Each structure stands twice: as structure tokens, then as C-alpha cells.
Amino acid sequence: MSHIDKLDTFEVACKHFLGDFSNFKNLISTQVQSLGGLDWSFDKGSTKVCSADEKGLKKRCKVGVAYRLQVELSQVDAETIWTEFSRFWGATTLNQLERVYSNEELGRYRFIANNSIGDEITCDIYLPNEWNIPQLNMLGCISARYRKADIQEV
């Protein structure tokens, strides 16, 4: 195995990902008045172990990392969050950005940031109306990587 970037180990990728995720949550909490001072629910997710490769090593991934909030947001708030989302994640390794417009007429917004190796953050905003329970959900996953210990053994 050739030189491996430090961000390629599972532990380091998790640390960076969780730090960025928390920083983004804090950023939008200061930029969107409706989010100020609210108590987000956080789920640290779970680590899954992949089947062994030809060398007998198993990569790990982390899924289900989430910040959730039941909150009534406005269209303006959703646009502000998109602006901050694209600016913040565009400056990280998750800089492939997408906005799914297809359900916005129903008051449902979805923003996605990911990268070529499969790390991803999705941000779903449901505005208050007869079809939606108003909320903001952000879900993240860290794609499969080797642990530091596995790489050092090779």
C-alpha cells in the first residue's frame, strides 16, 4: 500500500467529519434567528464493519450521524441555510453540492454535500404546512476506510 493521507484513516476522518458537522450546526444556529438557543438532538451514529479484503483487513464506515430539531422555519430561513450550507461545505472535502428542488413547492428542502469517496451530509428542511411536521434534519455518513492500526501493519 502506498502513502496514505492522514485523512484517509477512519479515526481521523471521523474526527474531522464530526468537527465540521458540529461547526456547521453552530454556524446556522447563529445565522438563522429561529435556530438560536434551541436544543438539538444528536445521534452519534453507528460504526459498521465491512467484510475483509484480500489482505484480511476490514474497512469501517460510520452511518446515522444526525442533528435533528423540530422547529418552524420560513422560506427565507431555508434559503439562508442553503447559502451557508453551500459556502461551508463547499470549502471542505465534501464539496460536491446538490440542491434537490423537486419537493420545494411542498415546503420540503433537501441539500446534499458529498465527495467522490462517499462521505455525505444531507440537510432536510420541512416547512410548516398541512403535509409536513416542521423540522430540520441533518444526516451524515463517513464512507469505508481502514483504521490507523490496519494501515500501520501493512
Side-chain angles (χ1 to χ4, degrees), residues 118-136:
D119 301 328
E120 184 173 272
I121 293 278
T122 57
C123 175
D124 289 305
I125 300 166
Y126 286 16
L127 301 185
N129 64 36
E130 60 185 297
W131 302 284
N132 297 337
I133 296 170
Q135 59 191 292
L136 180 124

Side-chain angles (χ1 to χ4, degrees), residues 17 61-63 93-94 96 113-121 140-145:
F17 185 91
C61 64
K62 188 177 270 286
V63 297
T93 58
L94 277 74
Q96 296 174 15
N114 58 30
N115 60 25
S116 57
I117 55 175
D119 301 328
E120 184 173 272
I121 293 278
C141 78
I142 300 150
S143 71
R145 289 174 170 79

Side-chain angles (χ1 to χ4, degrees), residues 38 46 58 63 70 97-98 104 115 118 122 128 130 136:
L38 295 178
S46 60
K58 296 177 180 179
V63 297
Q70 287 212 336
L97 303 170
E98 181 186 351
E104 289 186 8
N115 60 25
T122 57
E130 60 185 297
L136 180 124

Side-chain angles (χ1 to χ4, degrees), residues 23-67:
N23 289 341
F24 178 70
K25 176 202 57 101
N26 294 338
L27 172 72
I28 61 173
S29 293
T30 61
Q31 299 297 320
V32 177
Q33 206 170 2
S34 316
L35 299 177
L38 295 178
D39 198 15
W40 295 75
S41 76
F42 176 69
D43 187 335
K44 64 180 175 43
S46 60
T47 299
K48 306 285 186 202
V49 180
C50 306
S51 53
D53 63 15
E54 64 282 354
K55 294 189 181 87
L57 298 175
K58 296 177 180 179
K59 287 185 177 183
R60 283 160 174 72
C61 64
K62 188 177 270 286
V63 297
V65 184
Y67 279 108

Side-chain angles (χ1 to χ4, degrees), residues 1-6 8-12 47-61 143-154:
M1 202 177 277
S2 60
H3 167 72
I4 298 222
D5 185 324
K6 285 190 180 357
D8 284 344
T9 65
F10 181 70
E11 297 88 343
V12 174
T47 299
K48 306 285 186 202
V49 180
C50 306
S51 53
D53 63 15
E54 64 282 354
K55 294 189 181 87
L57 298 175
K58 296 177 180 179
K59 287 185 177 183
R60 283 160 174 72
C61 64
S143 71
R145 289 174 170 79
Y146 292 109
R147 289 177 312 165
K148 197 172 164 186
D150 294 338
I151 292 169
Q152 288 169 342
E153 290 167 10
V154 176

